[in-house]
Amino acid sequence: MLHRTWRRAAIAAASLLTLTLVACSEEAGDAKDLSGNRAGAMADYAVGTQFTATEPLSFSILYNNHPNYPLKNEWLFWSELTKRTNVKLEPVAVPLSDYEQKRSLLVGAGDAPLIIPKTYHPAENQFVSSGAILPVSDYLDLMPNFKEKIDKWGLKPEIDTLRQSDGKFYLLPGLHEKPWQEYTVAVRTDILDELKQPVPKTWDEFYTVLKAMKAKYPDSYPYSDRWSKPTPGGALLRIAGSSFGTQAGWSFQHSTWDPAAGKFVYTGATEQYKQMIQYLNKLVTEGLLDPESFTQSDEAARQKLANGKSFVITSNAQTLVNDYRPDLAKTIPGAKLVNIPLPVGPAGEINPASRLENGVMISKKARDSKNFVAMMQFIDWLYYSDAGQEFAKWGIEGTTFVKDAAGKRMPAPDVDMIGLNPKGTKHLQKDFGFANGVFAYGGKLDLMQSFFSPEELEFQKVMNTRKPIEVPPPAPLTDAEREQVSLWETPLKDYVTQNTLKFILGQRPLTEWDAYVGELKAKNADQYIEVVNKAYERFKKDNG
């Protein structure tokens, strides 16, 4: 889902392997004997090989049941997956709204299914010390496609950010060849034309555009936003924060790497965070940004856009096509709304998106199964092979999709997906179970962009000319450290969130910034960063 939250359980201190030993064990593969765990596995499984179990197998999987395409047992996805792999998946369905809580309860009680997908780092941290999930990095020799993509795409720095203090990682993330920046702002370009304003390329130019809109339509708030829950202004702060060189809203993390200083700093107290707040406060103060953006419902924000009371809204490819344009078509014929490339801020022309996505945890119970090796091969094929990724996303060639002479994928004549084939009477997700967020993510650039309209492709082309954001170095905490910082995190985050909103809305003057920073220190911000930097120095020393 959009907002990435996690809970951390209390964790007992444990003895840890050194990173040097771990590095050796990873290179050598799992040191434990797997000879009794190979039932159903392929002896010659490799990159480019279709995984097919040598005997019928079934694996339980935690299933995030999305309301937009509720689970159906008769989906073609299930039967075709079994046909290709000789594996039957047994979904344990959990509603999207309860997924994280239910996952925590099941894992904590030892009742989780063997395969636990749809997990966003660092949500796995809370399960590490108990041994409830496997250190998947110990078993990479069973996953040739996963290993190949990490090597080919140079993903080792990103993977290293997943490592725990024992040097291992416990989550198999989705892997992208290129970063995918999903969110930006959508702007009424017909209004820009009316005002003779160019599409803004920077946040400063964006401010100029909003000023022109306000001058022409003084009763409007040119920018009125959505996605205010559970984090006020979650999407807006996320995209603005990245442009200012910080992490805010949905992307907020307590620590931010400062390459100039060579250490981590507390995010909510940095100059970059302050500059972002100052900019947004200016928009609110001058009547350019609707103050209700941080509290109103999505529906209210959409209505203001549809009724011509606003002209700008935070957006992505799907909301532009599925929400905003249909809304406007009913109320303002001729209105033209376009997702513009993410405005450039003080951080420069960067693409802030990560190349890692949510991923899969493996229950510790799986390691004792006679089918463990086969299960890891199956996961490797479905989530990381080119063939498995295309299958999960598009389905069956000739049935749910076709390819043109150039090899471009298109929905079959009777199938639609996000408006690619409006005449299609069947839906790729709802009626067939493909393009399902539990299974379909990551992959080569052409696959990732295969659902994109020409308009979205152009947007991504611009974003991919920008420099990828610098990956922070690893700073994995020990169990005892994590237990300590978990006591500080919620009070700190709540305080940052509350005061960010107060500063932006003018309820607290920015002249009190230094006092606010002092208040963060009183809530253990400095101690928090001290722990993180200690962990960073330890990892750097132990890892050579």
Side-chain angles (χ1 to χ4, degrees), residues 177 393-394 407 409 443-451:
E177 181 182 10
K393 195 175 186 80
W394 276 98
R409 305 171 191 85
K444 291 181 176 178
L445 185 63
D446 80 294
L447 180 68
M448 266 305 303
Q449 297 188 347
S450 57
F451 285 159

Side-chain angles (χ1 to χ4, degrees), residues 3 43 96 103 197 219 267 337 350 355 384 396 416 483:
H3 180 63
L96 171 67
R103 181 188 61 207
Q197 290 284 335
D219 293 335
T267 304
L337 192 73
I350 58 165
R355 291 195 293 162
Y384 301 106
I396 306 168
D416 186 29
E483 182 179 16

